[in-house]
Amino acid sequence: MNDLGILHHFLGIEIYQEDDGVFICQKKYAEKILKKFGMFGCNPTDTPLVVNEKLKKEDGGKKVDASNYRSLVGNLFYLTNTRPDIMFAASLLSRFMNDPSHIHLGAAKRVLRYIQGTLDYGIKYDSKVESKLIGFCDNDWAGCMDDMKSTSGYVFSLGSGAVSWCSKKQQTVAQSSAEAEYISAGLATQQTIWLKRILEDFGEKQEAVTIHCDNKSAIAMAENPIFDGRTKHIAIKHHFIREAIEDDVPSNIILQDK
């Protein structure tokens, strides 16, 4: 075995190790994507997607090369290894890979324009910040125009930087914003349990983990074991989070308002 010194690059990820912490990014890979799709040097935008824009499969737009579109979305997904800020956009665009239109391609190119203006973005892990696991979860109630399903999203930070993030369409149609948020919190709870076990294996045992949720009704459902008429429509499988909150081992979860 050869000692190659401090790690600087790994599978397209750049690692900068300093005395005060570690910074990871994919600047060179992002530049490669922009050049590959002819967008290097384009005018940047402040957001990956147009605010409140709704994309759907049958939008009447002109069809484009599906192979090129799939390649673009695949490259964006790999970039999410250090860029959680484009996770939702990449997940949304992946729903149209079978039959993309020029509207979908335009939305994907807007993400590239956002990347052009944020090439230096990455994740900084500060060595001086306490390694405390904290989670955040949210959803876009009935955000999908094709089947009215919601998208769950979560992100977990360990100290100063994000360590786990996800954007995933829910399997069932939520009949209320509280239900959509409750399902999202359940997904975050599953990830919390897995992260706590991994950290314990590393010798970083965590106390009660706080998951921030911005829906008071969902928090009340998780904490109150009494069902009422307004919550009976929620499938039993979604109440996994309640068991996790009540069980001290191994989860020990605290659901908290943002």
Side-chain angles (χ1 to χ4, degrees):
M1 298 179 63
N2 294 325
D3 184 1
L4 302 179
I6 297 177
L7 179 66
H8 295 288
H9 294 86
F10 180 76
L11 297 178
I13 299 176
E14 301 166 48
I15 301 98
Y16 299 93
Q17 303 188 45
E18 305 292 342
D19 293 336
D20 60 343
V22 178
F23 177 76
I24 62 173
C25 67
Q26 291 172 276
K27 181 178 180 179
K28 293 182 179 179
Y29 182 74
E31 291 177 346
K32 182 179 178 181
I33 295 175
L34 292 171
K35 293 176 181 178
K36 178 179 179 180
F37 295 97
M39 297 290 288
F40 186 75
C42 63
N43 294 326
T45 59
D46 295 330
T47 58
L49 298 172
V50 177
V51 179
N52 295 326
E53 181 183 24
K54 300 294 184 181
L55 300 176
K56 55 183 179 179
K57 292 181 180 180
E58 298 299 331
D59 54 13
K62 181 180 178 182
K63 301 303 178 183
V64 297
D65 184 5
S67 178
N68 183 66
Y69 182 84
R70 285 194 291 267
S71 177
L72 172 53
V73 174
N75 280 264
L76 290 177
F77 261 116
Y78 191 73
L79 189 59
T80 62
N81 285 324
T82 59
R83 295 291 300 270
D85 53 329
I86 65 170
M87 185 72 248
F88 175 78
S91 176
L92 176 63
L93 294 171
S94 68
R95 301 173 188 174
F96 313 108
M97 290 197 295
N98 290 333
D99 195 21
S101 70
H102 78 281
I103 297 176
H104 304 140
L105 182 60
K109 287 185 176 181
R110 180 184 173 87
V111 179
L112 293 180
R113 291 175 59 197
Y114 171 74
I115 293 172
Q116 175 66 54
T118 58
L119 285 172
D120 293 325
Y121 278 23
I123 303 176
K124 175 67 179 291
Y125 300 103
D126 196 327
S127 60
K128 299 180 181 179
V129 177
E130 180 185 3
S131 298
K132 181 176 178 59
L133 186 65
I134 301 175
F136 298 83
C137 66
D138 206 345
N139 77 97
D140 66 336
W141 180 37
C144 182
M145 299 299 295
D146 295 307
D147 54 18
M148 301 309 293
K149 292 182 179 179
S150 308
T151 300
S152 296
Y154 65 71
V155 60
F156 287 89
S157 66
L158 186 65
S160 62
V163 294
S164 178
W165 50 90
C166 175
S167 178
K168 182 179 180 181
K169 185 194 283 190
Q170 297 178 1
Q171 296 182 352
T172 58
V173 177
Q175 299 182 44
S176 66
S177 59
E179 180 182 356
E181 194 75 49
Y182 193 64
I183 297 172
S184 178
L187 182 66
T189 299
Q190 295 179 39
Q191 186 67 6
T192 302
I193 295 173
W194 183 80
L195 287 173
K196 287 192 67 175
R197 288 172 174 169
I198 292 295
L199 289 172
E200 285 181 6
D201 290 341
F202 293 156
E204 289 284 345
K205 187 174 182 179
Q206 297 288 314
E207 301 299 329
V209 177
T210 300
I211 302 177
H212 294 278
C213 173
D214 64 355
N215 190 291
K216 293 183 178 180
S217 297
I219 296 174
M221 283 189 287
E223 296 177 343
N224 187 359
I226 301 176
F227 287 80
D228 57 36
R230 291 173 297 178
T231 61
K232 286 183 178 179
H233 65 279
I234 299 179
I236 295 176
K237 63 181 179 180
H238 298 325
H239 292 287
F240 163 80
I241 182 176
R242 178 176 299 160
E243 294 183 4
I245 290 176
E246 294 174 350
D247 185 10
D248 290 335
V249 179
S251 56
N252 206 2
I253 307 296
I254 298 176
L255 197 61
Q256 189 177 81
D257 191 0
K258 290 179 182 177

